[in-house]
Amino acid sequence: MWRKLLEACLFGILEGITEWLPISSTGHLILLRRYLHSSFDNDFFELFEVVIQLGAILAVLVVFFDTLCPLFGENTAERRRSARALWARLCLALLPSALVGFLFDDLLDAYFYRASSVAAALILYGILFLLVDRRGREELPSLGAAQVSTRKAFCVGCFQVLSLLPGTSRSGSTILGGMLVGLSRSDAAAFSFLLGVPTMMGASLLKGVKFFAEGGVLVPEEWAALAVGTLTAFLVSLVTVRFLCDFVRKHTFAPFGVYRILLGCAVLADAWWHR
């Protein structure tokens, strides 16, 4: 029991950090699960790693509450219209990945959830981050995530489709996509965080429905592990989201590009060592 709760806490910490930084939670989970010799069985872990994202989502809702839910403070008609328009753009941006994920979820897991695919995605997108930041070192003026146009929002949503490949990183693909369509680093990061709310809610719901529809049953200690992992992911995500929002105002994403390349090499080395 205590081992499962400790594992849940460790995975929650990892989720809270890597879900929002553009460094791929999948690559880190592969390594941590390998070296922890996790006691979670495969079916439960597939559910667990998606459901604890709900904790990360709650952190974004807390940090961006005034933007997403302008219910308090200066609750003007303009702020309410802005929030409704933002939610509409987020739902539009969600459509491409939701459609592709619904149709090909099992196929992607079967053919791409392996060390070589994860490592290749880590290294490729690490190189892309270095190239994009090198091309545009001058930071564009920030207009705010709520001011992202409908066209740019949809384009970012199309880039999110790439995150269905393990190792790509949802935040990494959407931040990179946002920068490529002309958003500032800070706006690309903020819009990526906001887009994660409907995306991860949908993914968690889909995974939960599939798990129980296929006859999955959770014992009390597994429910406890889900609760601990979700709470931990929430608390760590609060710190991570605020950190990245401050970081991108003064720094480029180049350090994350270098880190992704190193992590990709580590995943390849780990797979070679354990083959």
Side-chain angles (χ1 to χ4, degrees):
M1 173 68 172
W2 290 108
R3 175 180 171 81
K4 287 186 182 296
L5 294 182
L6 177 58
E7 285 184 32
C9 185
L10 291 175
F11 283 119
I13 291 172
L14 197 64
E15 167 65 22
I17 295 173
T18 60
E19 183 61 47
W20 305 113
L21 300 182
I23 54 178
S24 172
S25 58
T26 304
H28 290 81
L29 289 172
I30 285 176
L31 292 177
L32 180 60
R33 194 180 182 202
R34 171 93 72 181
Y35 288 104
L36 268 183
H37 301 291
S38 176
S39 60
F40 295 155
D41 63 54
N42 289 333
D43 289 339
F44 173 71
F45 188 78
E46 287 183 7
L47 174 70
F48 174 84
E49 66 178 338
V50 175
V51 170
I52 61 173
Q53 294 176 350
L54 293 174
I57 294 169
L58 291 176
V60 172
L61 291 175
V62 169
V63 174
F64 292 95
F65 186 81
D66 287 341
T67 300
L68 292 170
C69 307
L71 303 178
F72 304 101
E74 297 180 5
N75 186 17
T76 64
E78 182 179 352
R79 292 183 70 234
R80 291 195 297 271
R81 283 196 300 271
S82 177
R84 287 195 295 269
L86 174 60
W87 275 108
R89 289 192 291 273
L90 291 175
C91 290
L92 176 65
L94 171 64
L95 288 178
S97 58
L99 178 62
V100 175
F102 179 77
L103 294 175
F104 301 106
D105 180 55
D106 293 336
L107 185 66
L108 290 169
D109 282 348
Y111 289 96
F112 291 98
Y113 199 94
R114 57 189 66 183
S116 58
S117 300
V118 170
L122 283 166
I123 294 171
L124 174 61
Y125 282 86
I127 293 172
L128 287 176
F129 266 115
L130 294 177
L131 293 176
V132 170
D133 259 351
R134 184 177 181 83
R135 187 187 69 177
R137 288 187 179 276
E138 292 297 324
E139 171 67 321
L140 297 171
S142 175
L143 302 177
Q147 303 305 315
V148 173
S149 69
T150 301
R151 181 184 67 81
K152 290 182 178 179
F154 182 74
C155 289
V156 172
C158 291
F159 274 94
Q160 184 169 251
V161 174
L162 300 173
S163 69
L164 297 174
L165 297 176
T168 299
S169 166
R170 193 204 63 80
S171 60
S173 62
T174 51
I175 289 173
L176 188 63
M179 293 169 64
L180 287 173
V181 299
L183 298 183
S184 67
R185 285 192 295 270
S186 55
D187 286 352
F191 191 79
S192 171
F193 295 155
L194 297 176
L195 181 55
V197 174
T199 300
M200 293 157 63
M201 280 185 175
S204 298
L205 178 62
L206 177 62
K207 187 67 72 173
V209 169
K210 287 178 63 177
F211 179 82
F212 291 109
E214 293 172 358
V217 177
L218 298 179
V219 298
E221 63 180 16
E222 290 175 332
W223 282 110
L226 280 175
V228 168
T230 302
L231 177 60
T232 305
F234 167 71
L235 296 174
V236 176
S237 289
L238 283 175
V239 178
T240 305
V241 170
R242 289 192 170 106
F243 161 76
L244 190 58
C245 286
D246 291 336
F247 180 88
V248 297
R249 294 190 184 100
K250 302 175 183 178
H251 305 88
T252 72
F253 284 105
F256 299 116
V258 173
Y259 181 82
R260 287 181 64 98
I261 294 170
L262 294 176
L263 179 63
C265 293
V267 171
L268 284 177
D270 175 76
W272 177 82
W273 183 261
H274 290 93
R275 63 180 179 178

CSV table of all heavy atoms in Angstrom, one decimal, residues 74-124:
chain,number,residue,atom,x,y,z
A,74,GLU,N,-13.6,42.9,-11.5
A,74,GLU,CA,-14.2,43.8,-12.4
A,74,GLU,C,-14.9,42.9,-13.5
A,74,GLU,O,-14.4,42.7,-14.6
A,74,GLU,CB,-13.2,44.7,-13.1
A,74,GLU,CG,-12.5,45.6,-12.1
A,74,GLU,CD,-11.5,46.5,-12.8
A,74,GLU,OE1,-11.4,46.4,-14.1
A,74,GLU,OE2,-10.8,47.3,-12.2
A,75,ASN,N,-16.1,42.4,-13.1
A,75,ASN,CA,-16.8,41.5,-14.0
A,75,ASN,C,-17.6,42.3,-15.0
A,75,ASN,O,-18.9,42.4,-15.0
A,75,ASN,CB,-17.7,40.6,-13.1
A,75,ASN,CG,-18.4,39.5,-14.0
A,75,ASN,OD1,-18.0,39.2,-15.1
A,75,ASN,ND2,-19.5,39.0,-13.4
A,76,THR,N,-16.9,42.9,-16.0
A,76,THR,CA,-17.6,43.7,-17.0
A,76,THR,C,-18.1,42.9,-18.2
A,76,THR,O,-17.7,41.7,-18.4
A,76,THR,CB,-16.6,44.8,-17.5
A,76,THR,OG1,-15.5,44.1,-18.2
A,76,THR,CG2,-16.1,45.6,-16.4
A,77,ALA,N,-19.0,43.5,-19.0
A,77,ALA,CA,-19.5,42.8,-20.1
A,77,ALA,C,-18.4,42.4,-21.1
A,77,ALA,O,-18.4,41.4,-21.7
A,77,ALA,CB,-20.6,43.6,-20.8
A,78,GLU,N,-17.4,43.3,-21.2
A,78,GLU,CA,-16.3,43.1,-22.1
A,78,GLU,C,-15.4,41.9,-21.7
A,78,GLU,O,-15.0,41.1,-22.5
A,78,GLU,CB,-15.4,44.4,-22.2
A,78,GLU,CG,-14.2,44.2,-23.2
A,78,GLU,CD,-13.4,45.5,-23.3
A,78,GLU,OE1,-13.8,46.5,-22.7
A,78,GLU,OE2,-12.3,45.4,-23.9
A,79,ARG,N,-15.2,41.8,-20.4
A,79,ARG,CA,-14.4,40.7,-19.9
A,79,ARG,C,-15.2,39.4,-20.1
A,79,ARG,O,-14.6,38.3,-20.4
A,79,ARG,CB,-14.1,40.8,-18.4
A,79,ARG,CG,-13.1,42.0,-18.2
A,79,ARG,CD,-12.7,42.1,-16.7
A,79,ARG,NE,-11.9,40.9,-16.3
A,79,ARG,CZ,-12.2,40.1,-15.3
A,79,ARG,NH1,-13.3,40.3,-14.6
A,79,ARG,NH2,-11.4,39.1,-15.0
A,80,ARG,N,-16.5,39.4,-19.9
A,80,ARG,CA,-17.2,38.2,-20.2
A,80,ARG,C,-17.2,37.8,-21.6
A,80,ARG,O,-17.1,36.6,-22.0
A,80,ARG,CB,-18.7,38.4,-19.7
A,80,ARG,CG,-18.8,38.5,-18.2
A,80,ARG,CD,-20.3,38.3,-17.7
A,80,ARG,NE,-21.1,39.4,-18.3
A,80,ARG,CZ,-21.4,40.5,-17.7
A,80,ARG,NH1,-20.8,40.8,-16.5
A,80,ARG,NH2,-22.2,41.4,-18.2
A,81,ARG,N,-17.4,38.8,-22.5
A,81,ARG,CA,-17.3,38.5,-24.0
A,81,ARG,C,-15.9,37.9,-24.3
A,81,ARG,O,-15.8,37.0,-25.1
A,81,ARG,CB,-17.6,39.7,-24.8
A,81,ARG,CG,-19.0,40.1,-24.9
A,81,ARG,CD,-19.3,41.1,-26.0
A,81,ARG,NE,-18.5,42.3,-25.8
A,81,ARG,CZ,-18.9,43.4,-25.1
A,81,ARG,NH1,-20.1,43.4,-24.5
A,81,ARG,NH2,-18.2,44.5,-24.9
A,82,SER,N,-14.9,38.5,-23.8
A,82,SER,CA,-13.5,38.0,-24.0
A,82,SER,C,-13.3,36.6,-23.6
A,82,SER,O,-12.7,35.8,-24.3
A,82,SER,CB,-12.5,38.9,-23.4
A,82,SER,OG,-11.2,38.5,-23.6
A,83,ALA,N,-13.9,36.2,-22.4
A,83,ALA,CA,-13.7,34.9,-21.9
A,83,ALA,C,-14.5,33.9,-22.8
A,83,ALA,O,-14.0,32.8,-23.1
A,83,ALA,CB,-14.2,34.8,-20.5
A,84,ARG,N,-15.7,34.3,-23.2
A,84,ARG,CA,-16.5,33.4,-24.1
A,84,ARG,C,-15.8,33.2,-25.4
A,84,ARG,O,-15.7,32.0,-26.0
A,84,ARG,CB,-17.9,34.0,-24.3
A,84,ARG,CG,-18.8,33.8,-23.1
A,84,ARG,CD,-20.3,34.1,-23.5
A,84,ARG,NE,-20.5,35.5,-24.0
A,84,ARG,CZ,-20.8,36.5,-23.2
A,84,ARG,NH1,-21.0,36.3,-21.9
A,84,ARG,NH2,-21.0,37.7,-23.7
A,85,ALA,N,-15.2,34.2,-26.0
A,85,ALA,CA,-14.5,34.1,-27.2
A,85,ALA,C,-13.3,33.2,-27.1
A,85,ALA,O,-12.9,32.4,-28.0
A,85,ALA,CB,-14.1,35.5,-27.7
A,86,LEU,N,-12.6,33.4,-26.0
A,86,LEU,CA,-11.4,32.5,-25.7
A,86,LEU,C,-11.8,31.1,-25.6
A,86,LEU,O,-11.1,30.2,-26.2
A,86,LEU,CB,-10.7,33.0,-24.4
A,86,LEU,CG,-9.5,32.1,-24.0
A,86,LEU,CD1,-8.4,32.1,-25.0
A,86,LEU,CD2,-9.0,32.6,-22.6
A,87,TRP,N,-12.9,30.7,-24.9
A,87,TRP,CA,-13.3,29.4,-24.8
A,87,TRP,C,-13.7,28.8,-26.2
A,87,TRP,O,-13.4,27.6,-26.5
A,87,TRP,CB,-14.5,29.2,-23.8
A,87,TRP,CG,-14.1,29.1,-22.4
A,87,TRP,CD1,-14.2,30.0,-21.4
A,87,TRP,CD2,-13.5,28.0,-21.8
A,87,TRP,NE1,-13.7,29.5,-20.2
A,87,TRP,CE2,-13.3,28.3,-20.4
A,87,TRP,CE3,-13.1,26.7,-22.3
A,87,TRP,CZ2,-12.7,27.4,-19.5
A,87,TRP,CZ3,-12.5,25.8,-21.4
A,87,TRP,CH2,-12.3,26.1,-20.0
A,88,ALA,N,-14.3,29.6,-27.0
A,88,ALA,CA,-14.7,29.2,-28.4
A,88,ALA,C,-13.4,28.9,-29.2
A,88,ALA,O,-13.4,27.9,-29.9
A,88,ALA,CB,-15.5,30.3,-29.1
A,89,ARG,N,-12.4,29.7,-29.1
A,89,ARG,CA,-11.1,29.4,-29.8
A,89,ARG,C,-10.4,28.2,-29.3
A,89,ARG,O,-9.8,27.4,-30.0
A,89,ARG,CB,-10.2,30.7,-29.7
A,89,ARG,CG,-10.8,31.8,-30.6
A,89,ARG,CD,-9.7,32.9,-30.7
A,89,ARG,NE,-9.4,33.6,-29.5
A,89,ARG,CZ,-10.1,34.7,-29.1
A,89,ARG,NH1,-11.1,35.2,-29.8
A,89,ARG,NH2,-9.8,35.3,-27.9
A,90,LEU,N,-10.5,28.0,-28.0
A,90,LEU,CA,-9.9,26.8,-27.4
A,90,LEU,C,-10.6,25.5,-27.9
A,90,LEU,O,-9.9,24.5,-28.2
A,90,LEU,CB,-9.9,26.9,-25.8
A,90,LEU,CG,-9.0,27.9,-25.2
A,90,LEU,CD1,-9.3,28.0,-23.7
A,90,LEU,CD2,-7.6,27.7,-25.4
A,91,CYS,N,-11.9,25.6,-27.9
A,91,CYS,CA,-12.7,24.4,-28.4
A,91,CYS,C,-12.4,24.1,-29.9
A,91,CYS,O,-12.2,23.0,-30.3
A,91,CYS,CB,-14.1,24.6,-28.2
A,91,CYS,SG,-14.6,24.6,-26.5
A,92,LEU,N,-12.2,25.2,-30.7
A,92,LEU,CA,-11.9,25.1,-32.1
A,92,LEU,C,-10.5,24.5,-32.2
A,92,LEU,O,-10.3,23.5,-33.0
A,92,LEU,CB,-11.9,26.4,-32.8
A,92,LEU,CG,-11.4,26.5,-34.2
A,92,LEU,CD1,-12.4,25.6,-35.1
A,92,LEU,CD2,-11.3,27.9,-34.8
A,93,ALA,N,-9.5,24.9,-31.4
A,93,ALA,CA,-8.2,24.4,-31.5
A,93,ALA,C,-8.1,23.0,-31.0
A,93,ALA,O,-7.2,22.2,-31.4
A,93,ALA,CB,-7.2,25.3,-30.6
A,94,LEU,N,-9.0,22.6,-30.2
A,94,LEU,CA,-9.0,21.2,-29.7
A,94,LEU,C,-9.5,20.2,-30.8
A,94,LEU,O,-9.1,19.0,-30.7
A,94,LEU,CB,-10.0,21.1,-28.5
A,94,LEU,CG,-10.3,19.7,-27.9
A,94,LEU,CD1,-9.1,19.0,-27.4
A,94,LEU,CD2,-11.4,19.8,-26.9
A,95,LEU,N,-10.3,20.6,-31.7
A,95,LEU,CA,-10.9,19.7,-32.7
A,95,LEU,C,-9.9,18.8,-33.4
A,95,LEU,O,-10.2,17.6,-33.5
A,95,LEU,CB,-11.8,20.5,-33.7
A,95,LEU,CG,-13.1,21.0,-33.1
A,95,LEU,CD1,-13.8,21.8,-34.2
A,95,LEU,CD2,-14.0,19.9,-32.5
A,96,PRO,N,-8.9,19.3,-34.0
A,96,PRO,CA,-8.0,18.4,-34.8
A,96,PRO,C,-7.4,17.3,-34.0
A,96,PRO,O,-7.5,16.1,-34.4
A,96,PRO,CB,-6.9,19.4,-35.3
A,96,PRO,CG,-7.5,20.7,-35.3
A,96,PRO,CD,-8.4,20.7,-34.1
A,97,SER,N,-6.9,17.5,-32.8
A,97,SER,CA,-6.3,16.4,-32.0
A,97,SER,C,-7.4,15.5,-31.5
A,97,SER,O,-7.1,14.3,-31.3
A,97,SER,CB,-5.4,17.0,-30.9
A,97,SER,OG,-6.2,17.8,-30.0
A,98,ALA,N,-8.5,16.1,-31.1
A,98,ALA,CA,-9.6,15.2,-30.6
A,98,ALA,C,-10.1,14.2,-31.7
A,98,ALA,O,-10.3,13.1,-31.4
A,98,ALA,CB,-10.8,16.1,-30.2
A,99,LEU,N,-10.2,14.7,-32.9
A,99,LEU,CA,-10.6,13.8,-34.0
A,99,LEU,C,-9.6,12.7,-34.3
A,99,LEU,O,-9.9,11.5,-34.4
A,99,LEU,CB,-10.9,14.7,-35.3
A,99,LEU,CG,-11.3,13.9,-36.5
A,99,LEU,CD1,-12.6,13.1,-36.3
A,99,LEU,CD2,-11.5,14.8,-37.7
A,100,VAL,N,-8.4,13.1,-34.4
A,100,VAL,CA,-7.3,12.2,-34.7
A,100,VAL,C,-7.1,11.2,-33.6
A,100,VAL,O,-6.9,10.0,-33.8
A,100,VAL,CB,-6.0,12.9,-35.1
A,100,VAL,CG1,-4.8,11.9,-35.3
A,100,VAL,CG2,-6.1,13.7,-36.3
A,101,GLY,N,-7.1,11.7,-32.4
A,101,GLY,CA,-6.9,10.9,-31.2
A,101,GLY,C,-8.1,9.9,-31.0
A,101,GLY,O,-7.8,8.7,-30.7
A,102,PHE,N,-9.3,10.3,-31.3
A,102,PHE,CA,-10.4,9.4,-31.2
A,102,PHE,C,-10.3,8.3,-32.2
A,102,PHE,O,-10.6,7.1,-31.9
A,102,PHE,CB,-11.8,10.2,-31.4
A,102,PHE,CG,-13.0,9.3,-31.3
A,102,PHE,CD1,-13.5,8.9,-30.1
A,102,PHE,CD2,-13.6,8.9,-32.4
A,102,PHE,CE1,-14.6,8.1,-30.0
A,102,PHE,CE2,-14.8,8.1,-32.4
A,102,PHE,CZ,-15.3,7.7,-31.2
A,103,LEU,N,-9.9,8.6,-33.4
A,103,LEU,CA,-9.9,7.6,-34.5
A,103,LEU,C,-8.7,6.7,-34.4
A,103,LEU,O,-8.8,5.5,-34.7
A,103,LEU,CB,-9.9,8.3,-35.8
A,103,LEU,CG,-11.1,9.1,-36.2
A,103,LEU,CD1,-10.9,9.8,-37.5
A,103,LEU,CD2,-12.3,8.1,-36.3
A,104,PHE,N,-7.5,7.2,-33.9
A,104,PHE,CA,-6.3,6.4,-34.0
A,104,PHE,C,-5.6,6.2,-32.7
A,104,PHE,O,-4.4,5.8,-32.7
A,104,PHE,CB,-5.3,7.1,-35.0
A,104,PHE,CG,-5.9,7.3,-36.4
A,104,PHE,CD1,-6.3,8.6,-36.8
A,104,PHE,CD2,-6.0,6.2,-37.2
A,104,PHE,CE1,-6.8,8.7,-38.0
A,104,PHE,CE2,-6.5,6.4,-38.5
A,104,PHE,CZ,-6.9,7.7,-38.9
A,105,ASP,N,-6.3,6.4,-31.6
A,105,ASP,CA,-5.6,6.3,-30.2
A,105,ASP,C,-4.9,4.9,-30.0
A,105,ASP,O,-3.8,4.8,-29.7
A,105,ASP,CB,-6.7,6.5,-29.1
A,105,ASP,CG,-6.0,6.4,-27.7
A,105,ASP,OD1,-5.0,7.1,-27.5
A,105,ASP,OD2,-6.5,5.6,-26.9
A,106,ASP,N,-5.7,3.8,-30.3
A,106,ASP,CA,-5.1,2.5,-30.1
A,106,ASP,C,-4.0,2.2,-31.0
A,106,ASP,O,-3.0,1.6,-30.7
A,106,ASP,CB,-6.2,1.4,-30.2
A,106,ASP,CG,-7.2,1.5,-29.1
A,106,ASP,OD1,-6.9,2.0,-28.0
A,106,ASP,OD2,-8.4,1.1,-29.3
A,107,LEU,N,-4.1,2.7,-32.3
A,107,LEU,CA,-3.1,2.5,-33.3
A,107,LEU,C,-1.8,3.2,-32.9
A,107,LEU,O,-0.7,2.6,-33.0
A,107,LEU,CB,-3.6,3.0,-34.7
A,107,LEU,CG,-2.7,2.7,-35.9
A,107,LEU,CD1,-2.6,1.2,-36.1
A,107,LEU,CD2,-3.2,3.4,-37.1
A,108,LEU,N,-1.9,4.4,-32.5
A,108,LEU,CA,-0.7,5.2,-32.1
A,108,LEU,C,0.0,4.5,-30.9
A,108,LEU,O,1.2,4.4,-30.8
A,108,LEU,CB,-1.1,6.6,-31.7
A,108,LEU,CG,-1.6,7.5,-32.9
A,108,LEU,CD1,-2.2,8.8,-32.4
A,108,LEU,CD2,-0.4,7.8,-33.8
A,109,ASP,N,-0.8,4.1,-29.9
A,109,ASP,CA,-0.2,3.4,-28.7
A,109,ASP,C,0.5,2.1,-29.2
A,109,ASP,O,1.6,1.8,-28.7
A,109,ASP,CB,-1.3,3.1,-27.7
A,109,ASP,CG,-1.7,4.3,-26.9
A,109,ASP,OD1,-1.0,5.3,-26.9
A,109,ASP,OD2,-2.7,4.2,-26.2
A,110,ALA,N,-0.1,1.4,-30.1
A,110,ALA,CA,0.5,0.1,-30.5
A,110,ALA,C,1.8,0.2,-31.3
A,110,ALA,O,2.7,-0.6,-31.1
A,110,ALA,CB,-0.5,-0.7,-31.3
A,111,TYR,N,1.9,1.3,-32.1
A,111,TYR,CA,3.1,1.4,-33.0
A,111,TYR,C,4.1,2.4,-32.6
A,111,TYR,O,5.2,2.4,-33.1
A,111,TYR,CB,2.6,1.7,-34.4
A,111,TYR,CG,1.9,0.5,-35.1
A,111,TYR,CD1,0.5,0.4,-35.1
A,111,TYR,CD2,2.6,-0.5,-35.7
A,111,TYR,CE1,-0.1,-0.7,-35.7
A,111,TYR,CE2,2.0,-1.6,-36.3
A,111,TYR,CZ,0.6,-1.7,-36.3
A,111,TYR,OH,0.0,-2.8,-36.8
A,112,PHE,N,3.7,3.4,-31.8
A,112,PHE,CA,4.7,4.5,-31.5
A,112,PHE,C,5.1,4.6,-30.0
A,112,PHE,O,6.0,5.3,-29.7
A,112,PHE,CB,4.1,5.8,-31.9
A,112,PHE,CG,4.0,6.0,-33.4
A,112,PHE,CD1,2.8,5.7,-34.0
A,112,PHE,CD2,5.1,6.3,-34.1
A,112,PHE,CE1,2.6,5.8,-35.4
A,112,PHE,CE2,5.0,6.5,-35.5
A,112,PHE,CZ,3.8,6.2,-36.2
A,113,TYR,N,4.4,3.8,-29.1
A,113,TYR,CA,4.7,3.9,-27.7
A,113,TYR,C,5.9,2.9,-27.4
A,113,TYR,O,5.7,1.9,-26.9
A,113,TYR,CB,3.5,3.5,-26.8
A,113,TYR,CG,3.7,4.0,-25.4
A,113,TYR,CD1,3.2,5.2,-25.0
A,113,TYR,CD2,4.4,3.2,-24.5
A,113,TYR,CE1,3.4,5.7,-23.7
A,113,TYR,CE2,4.6,3.7,-23.2
A,113,TYR,CZ,4.1,4.9,-22.8
A,113,TYR,OH,4.2,5.3,-21.5
A,114,ARG,N,7.1,3.3,-27.9
A,114,ARG,CA,8.3,2.5,-27.8
A,114,ARG,C,9.4,3.5,-27.6
A,114,ARG,O,9.4,4.6,-28.1
A,114,ARG,CB,8.5,1.5,-28.9
A,114,ARG,CG,8.5,2.2,-30.3
A,114,ARG,CD,8.5,1.2,-31.4
A,114,ARG,NE,7.2,0.5,-31.4
A,114,ARG,CZ,6.9,-0.5,-32.2
A,114,ARG,NH1,7.9,-1.0,-33.1
A,114,ARG,NH2,5.8,-1.1,-32.2
A,115,ALA,N,10.5,3.0,-27.0
A,115,ALA,CA,11.7,3.8,-26.7
A,115,ALA,C,12.2,4.5,-27.9
A,115,ALA,O,12.6,5.7,-27.9
A,115,ALA,CB,12.7,3.0,-26.0
A,116,SER,N,12.4,3.8,-29.0
A,116,SER,CA,13.0,4.5,-30.2
A,116,SER,C,12.1,5.6,-30.7
A,116,SER,O,12.7,6.7,-31.1
A,116,SER,CB,13.2,3.4,-31.3
A,116,SER,OG,11.9,2.8,-31.7
A,117,SER,N,10.8,5.5,-30.8
A,117,SER,CA,9.9,6.5,-31.2
A,117,SER,C,10.0,7.7,-30.3
A,117,SER,O,10.0,8.9,-30.8
A,117,SER,CB,8.5,6.0,-31.4
A,117,SER,OG,8.4,4.9,-32.3
A,118,VAL,N,9.9,7.5,-29.0
A,118,VAL,CA,10.0,8.5,-28.0
A,118,VAL,C,11.3,9.3,-28.1
A,118,VAL,O,11.3,10.6,-28.1
A,118,VAL,CB,9.8,8.0,-26.6
A,118,VAL,CG1,10.1,9.0,-25.6
A,118,VAL,CG2,8.4,7.4,-26.4
A,119,ALA,N,12.4,8.6,-28.2
A,119,ALA,CA,13.7,9.2,-28.3
A,119,ALA,C,13.8,10.1,-29.6
A,119,ALA,O,14.4,11.2,-29.6
A,119,ALA,CB,14.8,8.2,-28.3
A,120,ALA,N,13.3,9.5,-30.7
A,120,ALA,CA,13.4,10.3,-32.0
A,120,ALA,C,12.6,11.6,-31.9
A,120,ALA,O,13.1,12.7,-32.3
A,120,ALA,CB,12.9,9.4,-33.1
A,121,ALA,N,11.4,11.5,-31.3
A,121,ALA,CA,10.6,12.8,-31.1
A,121,ALA,C,11.3,13.8,-30.2
A,121,ALA,O,11.3,15.0,-30.4
A,121,ALA,CB,9.2,12.4,-30.6
A,122,LEU,N,11.9,13.3,-29.1
A,122,LEU,CA,12.6,14.1,-28.2
A,122,LEU,C,13.7,14.9,-28.9
A,122,LEU,O,13.8,16.1,-28.7
A,122,LEU,CB,13.1,13.3,-27.0
A,122,LEU,CG,12.1,12.9,-25.9
A,122,LEU,CD1,12.8,11.8,-25.0
A,122,LEU,CD2,11.7,14.1,-25.1
A,123,ILE,N,14.5,14.2,-29.6
A,123,ILE,CA,15.7,14.8,-30.3
A,123,ILE,C,15.2,15.7,-31.4
A,123,ILE,O,15.7,16.8,-31.5
A,123,ILE,CB,16.6,13.7,-30.8
A,123,ILE,CG1,17.2,12.9,-29.6
A,123,ILE,CG2,17.7,14.3,-31.6
A,123,ILE,CD1,18.0,11.7,-30.0
A,124,LEU,N,14.3,15.3,-32.2
A,124,LEU,CA,13.8,16.1,-33.3
A,124,LEU,C,13.3,17.4,-32.9
A,124,LEU,O,13.6,18.5,-33.4
A,124,LEU,CB,12.8,15.3,-34.1
A,124,LEU,CG,12.1,16.1,-35.3
A,124,LEU,CD1,13.1,16.6,-36.3
A,124,LEU,CD2,11.0,15.3,-35.9
